[in-house]
Amino acid sequence: MARKDRKNRQQAVPEPEAQSVPSPVPAEPEAPAKPVSSGLVLLFWGFIAVLLFGTWAVESFTLVSEAKLERWLMLPLALFCVLILFLTRKKKDPDVPEV
């Protein structure tokens, strides 16, 4: 029974719908995306370099275990990454409604 239904569905040719001419919608020019400033990129990589050098220095000159050092350095790194993401977020367009 199910096979007959499938065959009937496949053989049924849908009727062509009336072709409607789409009305030309004026395209709104998109604002060019503002690139991230080079100062912010330098700040990010500078912070990463300072964090790496600081980690090396603390590990070399103290008896702090690597596991403890990593745990304590992940917190400022995570906060800094959140800050960078917040500073580079795309501004919400006021004309677009929220879903």
Side-chain angles (χ1 to χ4, degrees):
M1 178 94 177
R3 288 184 184 173
K4 290 181 181 177
D5 289 341
R6 285 186 199 150
K7 286 181 183 178
N8 290 337
R9 274 189 258 154
Q10 289 174 355
Q11 291 175 357
V13 178
E15 295 178 17
E17 296 179 11
Q19 300 249 346
S20 61
V21 179
S23 60
V25 177
E28 296 179 14
E30 292 184 21
K34 181 181 172 187
V36 177
S37 67
S38 60
L40 201 56
V41 172
L42 288 175
L43 175 69
F44 176 77
W45 288 113
F47 182 79
I48 298 296
V50 167
L51 200 61
L52 287 174
F53 179 74
T55 304
W56 172 80
V58 169
E59 190 177 355
S60 297
F61 301 119
T62 64
L63 298 176
V64 177
S65 70
E66 185 179 353
K68 285 186 180 180
L69 188 62
E70 285 178 358
R71 287 183 198 140
W72 283 104
L73 290 176
M74 285 297 121
L75 181 64
L77 179 62
L79 292 175
F80 183 72
C81 287
V82 168
L83 176 69
I84 291 293
L85 288 173
F86 180 75
L87 292 175
T88 59
R89 75 185 188 283
K90 195 173 189 179
K91 304 293 184 199
K92 188 181 283 189
D93 191 6
D95 296 335
V96 178
E98 288 190 27
V99 177

